[in-house]
């Protein structure tokens, strides 16, 4: 990469251009891996002077932006006050020979442990680094940002950067650096919070666990009910074998039930919260934990409701493609011939199906609008009145 991938001008969330501070300190990076290269690219593109320390600078120099100075680790730690340690925990000890040169420096730990390492070690990587270099100030930051986000820019990934340290001045320096790079820093407190910060990338969709289990439970409940009503009961009472309906028909009947229940659970906690505030006579008392968690999971339940509705639409389009449906059409035609009926038209059934399909399309379109506006990139561009209007649309359609 001969040229930095990122412009020197950073675009803020409001669309304005923000430049790096006028007096830009020199920033050092220890490490030559993928993250170190992306970090150097981002820093150079943000207008910082970057020096990279590598054990083999001649081999790795071509992988970094031409504006970044790649040299030996001993030379790289000399002038910068802020140094990123972009290496694994087991390699921290290789830097002990630089203790005297690193004295008084700000070391930014960007490492992440594996799941096994996080459970095995009682202290975080940042705390371990601080124990090896007691004369340095260690700051935990940028561990939740991927190498791709650093290169492509924060608009293509999460903008938030949790930062923690025991030294307020050092933390403030890294906070300003993160802002100059176009990210949104989050003060997580002292270095004791580093273990919690390092656990963030290890969690797989933590906010989706409860809504996903709820959706799965509702699906199992309604699927069992529809199976008993549409398949098992006709088999036991009339001897009709309808078990072929299990993969498509029963699933298609179950999905809208789950979608409607989930959508109702999205709006119900708001009504409960309003009633509770009216009962208490104030809006400044904290909600119960169960209601607070319920309110926090509304977005996930709404998106799962949209997912079930979209699947229901796809399954409905597939119904005429089934072989069993073709056999039913042939059997119905044969019965019509045997009964000598030349024209079969039931006006009531025709109108009912037309209205059913029309309302279904409108409902799916409205739910799609709700799902799209719940995305952060869309909701952030709407004011409160516009967002409230979109959220009220389902009730207007119902009326």
């Amino acid at each position: 990469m001969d040229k930095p991938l990122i412009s020197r001008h950073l675009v803020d969330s409001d669309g304005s251009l923000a430049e790096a501070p006028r007096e830009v300190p020199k920033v050092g990076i220890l490490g030559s891996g993928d993250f170190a290269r992306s970090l150097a690219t981002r820093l150079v593109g943000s207008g910082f002077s970057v020096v990279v320390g590598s054990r083999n600078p001649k081999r790795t120099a071509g992988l970094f932006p031409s504006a970044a100075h790649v040299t030996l680790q001993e030379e790289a730690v000399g002038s910068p006050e802020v140094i990123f340690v972009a290496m694994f925990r087991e390699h921290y000890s290789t830097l002990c020979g630089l203790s005297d040169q690193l004295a008084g420096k700000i070391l930014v730990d960007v490492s992440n442990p594996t799941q096994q390492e996080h459970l095995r070690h009682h202290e975080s990587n940042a705390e371990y680094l601080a124990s090896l270099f007691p004369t340095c100030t260690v700051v935990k930051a940028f561990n939740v940002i991927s190498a791709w986000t650093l290169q492509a820019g924060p608009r293509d990934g999460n903008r938030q950067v949790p930062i923690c340290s025991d030294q307020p001045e050092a933390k403030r320096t890294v906070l300003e650096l993160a802002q100059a790079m176009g990210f949104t820093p989050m003060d997580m407190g002292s270095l004791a919070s580093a273990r919690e910060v390092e656990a963030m990338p290890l969690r797989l969709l933590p906010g989706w666990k409860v809504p996903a289990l709820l959706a799965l439970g509702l699906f199992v409940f309604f699927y069992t009910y529809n199976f008993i009503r549409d398949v098992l009961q006709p088999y036991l009472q009339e001897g009709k074998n309808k078990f072929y309906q299990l993969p498509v028909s029963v699933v298609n009947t179950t999905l809208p039930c789950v979608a409607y229940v989930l959508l109702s659970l999205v709006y119900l906690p708001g009504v409960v919260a309003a009633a509770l505030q009216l009962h208490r006579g104030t809006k400044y008392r904290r909600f119960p934990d169960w209601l607070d968690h319920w309110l926090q999971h509304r977005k996930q339940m709404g998106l799962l409701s949209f997912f079930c509705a979209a699947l229901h639409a796809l399954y409905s389009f597939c119904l005429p493609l089934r072989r069993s449906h073709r056999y039913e059409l042939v059997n119905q035609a044969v019965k019509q011939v045997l009964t000598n009926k030349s024209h079969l038209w039931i006006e009531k059934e025709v109108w009912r199906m037309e209205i059913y399909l029309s309302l279904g399309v409108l409902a799916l379109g409205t739910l799609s609008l709700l799902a799209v506006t719940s995305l952060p990139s869309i909701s952030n561009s709407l004011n409160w009145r516009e967002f409230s209007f979109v959220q009220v649309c389902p009730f207007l359609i119902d009326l």
Side-chain angles (χ1 to χ4, degrees):
M1 295 185 297
D2 295 330
K3 297 182 179 179
L5 300 179
I6 305 166
S7 173
R8 298 177 63 91
H9 290 86
L10 305 177
V11 182
D12 288 337
S13 57
D14 59 356
S16 60
L17 294 179
E19 296 188 12
R22 293 181 179 179
E23 296 182 1
V24 180
K26 182 178 291 186
V27 180
I29 300 176
L30 294 177
S32 56
D34 293 336
F35 191 88
R37 294 194 292 269
S38 300
L39 182 61
T41 301
R42 184 68 187 171
L43 287 169
V44 168
S46 301
F48 289 93
S49 176
V50 180
V51 57
V52 181
S54 173
R55 288 176 292 183
N56 195 336
K58 293 183 179 181
R59 186 181 64 182
T60 59
L63 303 175
F64 287 85
S66 57
H69 178 54
V70 182
T71 182
L72 294 173
Q73 292 180 346
E74 295 80 1
E75 301 175 0
V77 299
S79 55
E81 292 299 322
V82 179
I83 300 175
F84 286 86
V85 182
M87 56 180 59
F88 294 109
R89 177 188 177 117
E90 55 267 24
H91 298 153
Y92 288 171
S93 57
T94 61
L95 301 176
C96 291
L98 306 175
S99 298
D100 295 337
Q101 296 170 271
L102 292 174
K105 306 283 186 179
I106 299 176
L107 301 183
V108 183
D109 177 41
V110 299
S111 66
N112 280 317
T114 62
Q115 188 71 41
Q116 294 76 15
E117 291 174 344
H118 184 71
L119 296 175
R120 184 170 66 250
H121 300 300
H122 298 290
E123 61 179 356
S124 64
N125 289 358
E127 292 173 310
Y128 174 65
L129 181 64
S131 66
L132 293 178
F133 301 94
T135 59
C136 301
T137 302
V138 176
V139 180
K140 186 70 183 184
F142 291 95
N143 65 300
V144 300
I145 302 298
S146 65
W148 164 251
T149 302
L150 285 170
Q151 289 201 35
R155 281 187 175 272
D156 298 326
N158 193 350
R159 294 176 61 93
Q160 295 182 341
V161 178
I163 300 175
C164 62
S165 177
D166 291 334
Q167 224 287 332
E169 285 298 326
K171 187 178 1 180
R172 187 180 300 108
T173 300
V174 180
L175 285 170
E176 295 174 354
L177 188 146
Q179 287 178 333
M181 294 171 65
F183 294 97
T184 304
M186 296 172 52
D187 191 344
M188 299 295 292
S190 66
L191 199 62
S193 305
R195 183 171 176 82
E196 176 66 19
V197 174
E198 291 177 0
M200 291 180 179
L202 300 177
R203 297 170 184 162
L204 180 61
L205 302 175
W208 288 83
K209 183 177 180 181
V210 174
L213 290 176
L214 176 62
L216 180 61
L218 289 172
F219 182 85
V220 172
F221 171 78
F222 284 112
Y223 186 88
T224 303
Y225 171 78
N226 292 323
F227 164 71
I228 295 174
R229 185 192 65 177
D230 299 337
V231 178
L232 189 59
Q233 184 179 2
Y235 178 76
L236 295 177
Q237 292 184 350
E238 305 174 13
K240 295 182 179 180
N241 187 354
K242 294 187 176 182
F243 287 92
Y244 65 89
Q245 296 183 356
L246 290 177
V248 179
S249 295
V250 178
V251 173
N252 190 45
T253 307
T254 301
L255 287 172
C257 301
V258 178
Y260 276 123
V261 173
L262 287 175
L263 186 61
S264 65
L265 292 177
V266 172
Y267 292 96
L268 182 59
V271 178
V272 174
L276 185 61
Q277 289 177 341
L278 291 174
H279 175 72
R280 292 175 172 178
T282 178
K283 64 178 183 180
Y284 297 106
R285 289 181 59 184
R286 190 176 184 275
F287 291 131
D289 290 339
W290 61 270
L291 181 57
D292 188 52
H293 290 132
W294 191 358
L295 290 168
Q296 292 177 5
H297 288 120
R298 287 182 297 175
K299 179 188 294 185
Q300 290 85 346
M301 289 189 293
L303 291 176
L304 287 174
S305 174
F306 170 71
F307 175 72
C308 293
L311 285 181
H312 171 59
L314 292 176
Y315 270 98
S316 298
F317 280 119
C318 294
L319 289 179
L321 302 178
R322 298 175 303 157
R323 181 68 65 179
S324 59
H325 180 74
R326 300 180 184 180
Y327 288 153
E328 290 177 356
L329 290 178
V330 173
N331 292 335
Q332 189 175 3
V334 171
K335 289 180 181 180
Q336 186 176 346
V337 171
L338 293 178
T339 55
N340 197 22
K341 292 184 177 180
S342 59
H343 182 70
L344 184 61
W345 183 274
I346 304 176
E347 190 76 14
K348 181 180 179 180
E349 293 294 329
V350 172
W351 273 100
R352 187 176 69 174
M353 183 56 63
E354 294 292 325
I355 295 174
Y356 168 77
L357 290 176
S358 178
L359 293 179
V361 172
L362 288 175
L364 181 59
T366 305
L367 196 56
S368 303
L369 180 64
L370 292 175
V372 171
T373 53
S374 67
L375 300 176
S377 58
I378 303 298
S379 60
N380 291 338
S381 63
L382 301 176
N383 59 42
W384 176 247
R385 187 176 182 182
E386 294 169 341
F387 184 78
S388 300
F389 174 77
V390 172
Q391 297 299 314
V392 174
C393 281
F395 295 102
L396 297 178
I397 291 179
D398 291 339
L399 296 176

